[in-house]
Amino acid sequence: MPGCCVVIVPFVSMQEPYKLVTIPATESIQEYKNNIGQIIEEFFLTDNVEEAAVGLRDLKLPEYDHYFVKKLISMALDRHDREKEMAAVLLSSLYADVISPEHLFKGFVRLVESADDLVIDIPDALDILALFVARAIVDDILPPSFLQSAVQGLPEGAKGHDVIHLAEKSYLSPPLHAEIVERRWGGSTHTTVELVKSKISALLNEYRESGDKAEACRCIRELNVPFFHHEVVKRALVMAMEQKNYEGLLLSLLKEAADEGLITSSQMSKGFTRLADAIDDLSLDIVNARDLLSQLITTAVKEGFLNASYTLPPPNPKSKENGDEAVNAKANLLALFKQKATDIIQEYFLSDDVGEVIRSLEELSSPHLNAVFVKKVVTLAMDRKNREKEMSSVLLSSLYAEVITSEDVAKAFLNLLETADDTALDIPDAANEFALFLARSVVDDILAPLDLDEIKEQLKPQSLGSDIVNTARALLAARHAGERILRCWGGGSGWAVDDAKDKIIKLLEEFEAGGDILEACQCIRDLDMPFFHHEVVKKSLVMAMEKQNDNLLKLLQECSNEGLITVNQMSKGFTRVADSIDDLALDIPDAKEKFDLYVENAKRQGWLMPSVNVGSKTQSLSNCEHVNDR
């Protein structure tokens, strides 16, 4: 009987010496709470996820697991960032394998409901709870719909409303919110979710290039996070869906890992389930994502590395209630976003105000649809004059690093080129214009030349999209390609990117020749392009290498101290140099050594975050170094 326990108690009767009666499970619940308190305390001391998982399983009371979720976070609230990070990692590790999604959801609901009590003892409890909620959504263990569901049962004026509002507006709406949330507690544990995810992506990318299954399995094993192998499965499947050419190779790796016992059957199933949970979002970027997943499941079962009894999990309760309404609602949201994006872009063509576009995009709070926005920018410029085409390129370069990522841009161009044949029916010169936009993105350092190869690999051979990529390559290979492509539309906007680059070079040369550091900062401020400050960082670092003048590093430090160059822009500038370090080394023999010294100095001085993973590419990103080297 759920919620009760059956015990044998004496009963005074000559006919029946004992009688079965039921008593409330209060004592059982209290004992459970005492036990989980010990498990959590021990986990905070040892950082041993496996031991915590075993301890929770041994209690054999899964119906109370929502108490564990609530207790874990409650105990972490008034502790250091280390324990908060550990609690977030533990929940992500136990999700689905030990704690069911329903109980994790219920545990967070209970936490939100208890916000009024928690804030009495812990003044900043609301902010910390909001961050835990945001972190759970970023780590894919809570659905975004939690934000709406959690407040439905709250009375008016309850502090829980503040928790949800903070989570949604302060932590899940800003650009690059996932990175910000994951790093908020400094990755205080030796094994952070963010670090593991980056290593998994790196090893899968290297395996895709090399095809060496033994090496890939060794890298997975050396990650030493068996409770997180579902992420390997999920990311491998997403890669297989995005890049059909590599589907067989990636499924072969999963089969090998399963045959070796490296990835357990429960972790394999959990990986497929995680992907199924996110399939609606994936469908926005991958055509027929749901059908592709079904095909992958069929293949996995046939190959024997997915249990034959595996079935796709049913839709979440909200989807069950609404049926197709949830799908229609998502489609309506996408249509609404496209309409708002069109309005923003058309207004930009009239005003030439990049800052207003950035603010408008932030207000839309839909970073997962940034590729849709990029696609819309290019599409709307296609049949307009050169002025609008130039403005569109300037806009993409301005948004890059501040709002959008290179992945967003690459995804947008892939979608554009896949439908290039249809576009060409309406715009006769579409192929040439697409090639110019693509080449311009490379010249503006938004895309790398390697991105063109990856885009082409995903296009059908002999297609118009593939020909467009070849044309873009030819444009980039021509003599003086950079200058020609930058001026291909006549510099139609009021503030061209090449003009900004020229101004940056001139102010740095003047400072390097003995100028005033405060004057240099004022010149950077006068550029009035905060979204382009990564170019200041990049050119300062390169000039410091070329001129052997470390004063340029002092300029960057002063810009950081004044808050003139943001953390994101500083990181992006260093990343740009890291990406081009091999080319720089052809002209500056000790470029790699110097750059590593610059990175070390910047982190030591505090103007580059310690968590930023840049360095001379002498250290491959595939590094399978131990995640929890202690």
Side-chain angles (χ1 to χ4, degrees):
M1 180 181 298
C4 295
C5 51
V6 179
V7 296
I8 298 177
V9 297
F11 184 77
V12 182
S13 170
M14 296 299 294
Q15 287 83 19
E16 188 177 0
Y18 296 98
K19 182 178 181 179
L20 290 175
V21 299
T22 59
I23 62 173
T26 306
E27 294 179 8
S28 177
I29 295 174
Q30 190 56 50
E31 183 180 357
Y32 175 86
K33 289 182 176 180
N34 292 338
N35 287 332
I36 61 174
Q38 295 172 11
I39 291 171
I40 295 166
E41 287 288 3
E42 185 172 342
F43 170 69
F44 284 155
L45 289 173
T46 65
D47 195 13
N48 190 325
V49 172
E50 291 282 6
E51 189 63 32
V54 170
L56 192 56
R57 280 197 187 102
D58 286 347
L59 294 179
K60 297 180 180 179
L61 291 168
E63 65 270 23
Y64 295 156
D65 280 347
H66 56 281
Y67 284 114
F68 179 85
V69 176
K70 181 181 177 183
K71 183 75 170 177
L72 173 64
I73 296 177
S74 298
M75 291 177 66
L77 284 178
D78 60 348
R79 302 205 181 202
H80 295 105
D81 283 354
R82 172 181 177 274
E83 284 81 3
K84 294 183 180 75
E85 175 69 19
M86 289 173 70
V89 172
L90 180 61
L91 288 178
S92 185
S93 305
L94 300 182
Y95 175 76
D97 271 358
V98 180
I99 301 175
S100 71
E102 293 76 17
H103 278 280
L104 190 129
F105 192 100
K106 186 177 179 180
F108 270 93
V109 169
R110 295 287 185 269
L111 273 166
V112 173
E113 290 173 345
S114 64
D116 294 86
D117 296 329
L118 292 169
V119 77
I120 294 173
D121 299 320
I122 306 167
D124 57 347
L126 300 184
D127 184 65
I128 301 172
L129 275 179
L131 190 51
F132 267 112
V133 170
R135 177 63 179 268
I137 291 174
V138 167
D139 285 345
D140 289 332
I141 61 176
L142 274 184
S145 60
F146 173 85
L147 299 175
Q148 285 74 41
S149 301
V151 297
Q152 288 177 358
L154 292 174
E156 188 176 348
K159 297 292 186 184
H161 290 285
D162 297 334
V163 172
I164 298 302
H165 180 77
L166 281 169
E168 185 173 12
K169 301 300 181 184
S170 299
Y171 295 118
L172 294 173
S173 294
L176 305 175
H177 68 273
E179 295 179 15
I180 294 170
V181 169
E182 287 185 326
R183 292 172 182 163
R184 178 60 184 268
W185 290 316
S188 309
T189 65
H190 298 285
T191 306
T192 66
V193 172
E194 175 196 2
L195 180 60
V196 175
K197 285 181 177 180
S198 67
K199 289 180 180 294
I200 290 171
S201 293
L203 74 88
L204 288 175
N205 284 329
E206 178 148 317
Y207 168 69
R208 183 189 59 188
E209 300 300 324
S210 69
D212 190 339
K213 281 187 285 192
E215 176 65 14
C217 286
R218 185 184 70 81
C219 288
I220 295 171
R221 190 175 291 106
E222 290 194 352
L223 286 175
N224 197 25
V225 284
F227 52 83
F228 208 61
H229 282 169
H230 58 83
E231 189 69 18
V232 177
V233 178
K234 177 186 173 184
R235 288 182 179 246
L237 294 173
V238 171
M239 189 179 288
M241 293 168 70
E242 291 178 333
Q243 304 175 34
K244 292 290 289 179
N245 293 348
Y246 295 102
E247 178 183 318
L249 189 68
L250 292 158
L251 292 182
S252 177
L253 173 62
L254 294 182
K255 177 173 171 54
E256 180 72 16
D259 290 344
E260 285 188 20
L262 178 57
I263 297 180
T264 65
S265 59
S266 65
Q267 287 286 310
M268 188 68 72
S269 298
K270 184 176 176 181
F272 275 88
T273 300
R274 282 289 188 90
L275 182 57
D277 290 341
I279 200 66
D280 288 332
D281 291 332
L282 277 173
S283 296
L284 298 176
D285 302 317
I286 303 174
V287 180
N288 300 324
R290 194 176 297 277
D291 293 337
L292 292 174
L293 176 58
S294 296
Q295 293 169 15
L296 290 172
I297 291 172
T298 301
T299 303
V301 171
K302 184 178 178 181
E303 294 292 327
F305 61 88
L306 183 64
N307 195 302
S309 63
Y310 178 84
T311 56
L312 278 174
N316 61 49
K318 187 173 181 180
S319 297
K320 280 183 180 178
E321 292 171 7
N322 298 334
D324 291 337
E325 291 180 13
V327 177
N328 293 335
K330 189 172 288 290
N332 291 337
L333 287 174
L334 178 59
L336 181 62
F337 177 87
K338 287 182 177 179
Q339 182 56 55
K340 289 184 176 180
T342 299
D343 294 340
I344 292 169
I345 296 163
Q346 289 175 339
E347 185 175 338
Y348 166 68
F349 286 155
L350 293 173
S351 67
D352 197 13
D353 189 343
V354 173
E356 182 60 29
V357 176
I358 293 175
R359 286 189 292 274
S360 298
L361 269 179
E362 290 174 347
E363 287 175 4
L364 287 180
S365 301
S366 301
H368 60 290
L369 295 177
N370 280 346
V372 176
F373 183 85
V374 173
K375 181 180 177 182
K376 184 64 72 174
V377 170
V378 177
T379 303
L380 289 176
M382 286 291 289
D383 59 350
R384 295 191 178 226
K385 296 179 180 179
N386 283 347
R387 173 183 176 275
E388 285 80 5
K389 295 184 179 99
E390 173 66 18
M391 289 177 70
S392 296
S393 287
V394 172
L395 177 62
L396 294 182
S397 184
S398 303
L399 295 179
Y400 176 61
E402 192 72 16
V403 180
I404 63 175
T405 65
S406 58
E407 288 78 13
D408 294 328
V409 177
K411 189 181 297 182
F413 273 108
L414 177 61
N415 292 336
L416 285 165
L417 298 183
E418 285 175 338
T419 58
D421 295 273
D422 296 332
T423 308
L425 296 176
D426 300 319
I427 305 173
D429 199 31
N432 183 53
E433 299 292 354
F434 276 142
L436 286 171
F437 269 114
L438 196 55
R440 177 65 179 266
S441 294
V442 175
V443 170
D444 286 342
D445 289 332
I446 302 173
L447 295 178
L450 182 61
D451 291 327
L452 300 188
D453 297 333
E454 294 183 356
I455 290 172
K456 185 178 179 182
E457 287 174 359
Q458 299 174 66
L459 295 168
K460 293 179 180 178
Q462 311 304 319
S463 65
L464 179 59
S466 182
D467 292 341
I468 289 170
V469 176
N470 290 336
T471 303
R473 283 175 172 166
L475 290 170
L476 290 165
R479 190 177 182 187
H480 303 303
E483 295 178 14
R484 290 183 177 183
I485 292 170
L486 281 171
R487 294 181 173 85
C488 64
W489 289 307
S493 97
W495 187 254
V497 171
D498 54 334
D499 187 20
K501 289 182 177 180
D502 289 342
K503 290 179 181 291
I504 289 169
I505 291 172
K506 288 176 182 176
L507 76 86
L508 291 177
E509 287 177 341
E510 184 174 335
F511 172 72
E512 191 270 334
D516 185 346
I517 193 168
L518 296 179
E519 177 64 22
C521 287
Q522 185 58 46
C523 289
I524 295 171
R525 196 174 287 108
D526 289 343
L527 285 174
D528 195 26
M529 295 183 74
F531 45 81
F532 205 58
H533 282 169
H534 58 271
E535 188 69 18
V536 177
V537 178
K538 175 186 173 183
K539 292 196 181 299
S540 296
L541 294 172
V542 173
M543 191 177 291
M545 294 178 193
E546 293 174 337
K547 306 279 189 178
Q548 307 287 322
N549 187 347
D550 288 350
N551 280 336
L552 289 154
L553 302 184
K554 294 179 181 178
L555 173 61
L556 293 182
Q557 182 171 350
E558 181 64 23
C559 289
S560 174
N561 293 341
E562 288 188 19
L564 179 57
I565 297 182
T566 66
V567 172
N568 285 339
Q569 290 287 309
M570 191 70 73
S571 301
K572 184 57 64 177
F574 271 86
T575 302
R576 290 285 187 89
V577 177
D579 290 341
S580 60
I581 199 69
D582 290 329
D583 293 333
L584 286 170
L586 298 176
D587 301 318
I588 308 171
D590 59 347
K592 295 181 179 180
E593 292 78 8
K594 281 187 171 297
F595 182 61
D596 284 340
L597 288 174
Y598 294 166
V599 171
E600 182 182 348
N601 177 65
K603 290 184 176 181
R604 186 173 60 250
Q605 297 294 330
W607 41 282
L608 186 65
M609 294 293 289
S611 57
V612 175
N613 185 22
V614 293
S616 71
K617 297 295 180 172
T618 51
Q619 302 169 347
S620 171
L621 284 176
S622 72
N623 343 359
C624 306
E625 69 255 53
H626 293 285
V627 174
N628 24 353
D629 286 342
R630 306 253 174 183

